[in-house]
């Protein structure tokens, strides 16, 4: 996961996932414009293993996070972003600066499947647990990247146990995925949520709080 080599930045002229646009409009009599991206909606799943009383999250390298750190240290990398030539970095930062902890998640790009079906597929592929639609509970949906993409993410909750795990997870290597499955013990979860030394998404923090408010009070007392 952390063997990053031959780092280079160049303009993106086409993408399977992002489409850039500029919207011009008039608001309260003032002419305005806004640049935005169209991208896929997504699902995410808070997974709780009842056998070991822990949350199951994923850990992976995120190029966008990595490049934010690269720019802080090497701002010249983006100076040629609008040119045909690309900028290379001979001494890249360690890949760990781009590794984040996240909920199991995936984009909604299969028109024939429901959000629940996509969520079940992602749980199996990324974390190795086989769950059914009946095992899912919808928590809520919300907008993410409101300044750039405005896409909708739907958050589910799923309880699993050790018997439901059929493989080691890790994503689909043929699609370039390299995912590590991580277990966060329930008793350490809120400390983990607020520990900035573990880079994480807001989905992790929000869902852990939701669990402690809605599920934890109903758990059997030790």
């Amino acid at each position: 996961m952390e063997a990053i080599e031959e780092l280079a930045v160049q303009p993106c002229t086409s993408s399977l996932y992002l489409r850039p646009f500029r919207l011009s409009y008039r608001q309260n009599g003032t002419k305005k414009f806004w640049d935005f991206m169209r991208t896929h909606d997504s699902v995410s799943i808070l997974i709780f293993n009842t056998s070991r009383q822990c949350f199951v999250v994923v850990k992976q390298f995120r190029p966008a996070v990595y490049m934010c750190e690269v720019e802080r240290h090497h701002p010249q990398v983006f100076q040629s972003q609008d040119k045909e030539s690309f900028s290379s970095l001979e001494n890249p930062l360690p890949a760990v600066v781009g590794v984040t902890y996240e909920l199991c998640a995936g984009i909604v790009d299969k028109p024939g499947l429901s959000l629940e079906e996509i969520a079940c597929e992602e749980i199996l592929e990324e974390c190795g647990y086989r769950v059914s639609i009946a095992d899912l509970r919808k928590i809520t949906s919300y907008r993410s990247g409101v300044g750039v993409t405005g896409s909708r993410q739907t958050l589910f909750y799923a309880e699993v146990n050790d018997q439901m795990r059929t493989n080691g997870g890790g994503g689909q290597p043929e699609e370039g995925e390299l995912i590590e499955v991580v277990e966060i013990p329930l008793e350490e979860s809120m400390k983990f949520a607020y520990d900035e030394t573990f880079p994480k998404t807001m989905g992790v923090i929000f869902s852990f709080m939701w669990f402690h408010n809605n599920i934890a009070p109903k758990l059997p007392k030790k």
Side-chain angles (χ1 to χ4, degrees):
M1 181 182 295
E2 298 184 4
I4 302 298
E5 301 173 302
E6 300 179 8
L7 179 69
V9 179
Q10 60 191 67
C12 178
T13 57
S14 64
S15 172
L16 296 174
Y17 307 104
L18 300 173
R19 290 177 293 150
F21 295 93
R22 172 167 293 180
L23 175 70
S24 61
Y25 60 103
R26 187 176 297 276
Q27 183 179 27
N28 288 358
T30 301
K31 188 69 174 179
K32 299 181 178 181
F33 71 89
W34 194 266
D35 298 336
F36 68 98
M37 293 274 190
R38 284 299 302 124
T39 188
H40 294 287
D41 290 340
S42 60
V43 297
S44 62
I45 311 96
L46 173 64
I47 304 171
F48 183 68
N49 185 314
T50 58
S51 299
R52 290 195 300 285
Q53 297 288 288
C54 66
F55 295 107
V56 181
V57 300
V58 297
K59 179 181 176 184
Q60 57 186 316
F61 175 78
R62 289 299 195 181
V65 174
Y66 180 79
M67 291 310 297
C68 284
E69 292 301 309
V70 168
E71 186 179 21
R72 286 203 310 119
H73 292 83
H74 304 283
Q76 74 278 5
V77 170
F78 287 97
Q79 290 177 357
S80 62
Q81 62 178 332
D82 294 323
K83 302 176 182 179
E84 290 300 321
S85 61
F86 61 86
S87 176
S88 60
L89 189 63
E90 295 181 359
N91 298 304
L93 297 175
V96 67
V97 303
V99 173
T100 61
Y101 294 83
E102 310 169 16
L103 298 179
C104 172
I107 61 175
V108 178
D109 62 348
K110 300 173 182 176
L113 298 182
S114 67
L115 297 179
E116 290 79 6
E117 289 171 322
I118 293 174
C120 290
E121 282 192 354
E122 294 297 336
I123 294 172
L124 182 61
E125 292 173 4
E126 293 191 359
C127 300
Y129 293 91
R130 187 175 299 279
V131 303
S132 67
I133 290 177
D135 297 319
L136 295 177
R137 170 179 173 180
K138 179 181 176 181
I139 298 177
T140 190
S141 65
Y142 43 82
R143 297 289 180 176
S144 59
V146 293
V148 180
T149 67
S151 58
R152 180 187 298 275
Q153 183 166 92
T154 302
L155 174 62
F156 294 97
Y157 171 65
E159 290 186 356
V160 300
N161 55 52
D162 289 345
Q163 288 68 45
M164 296 167 67
R165 194 168 195 188
T166 61
N167 63 71
Q172 296 183 306
E174 65 273 16
E175 295 184 3
E177 292 184 324
L178 183 60
I179 296 172
E180 179 182 341
V181 181
V182 179
E183 295 182 343
I184 309 296
L186 175 59
E187 63 271 19
E188 300 175 12
S189 58
M190 292 314 298
K191 179 181 178 182
F192 171 84
Y194 288 103
D195 188 340
E196 294 183 11
T197 63
F198 296 101
K200 64 189 71 67
T201 63
M202 178 55 70
V204 172
I205 300 173
F206 169 75
S207 61
F208 281 13
M209 293 177 63
W210 175 88
F211 182 95
H212 279 273
N213 288 333
N214 294 275
I215 305 297
K218 303 173 186 177
L219 294 177
K221 302 297 181 181
K222 293 184 179 181

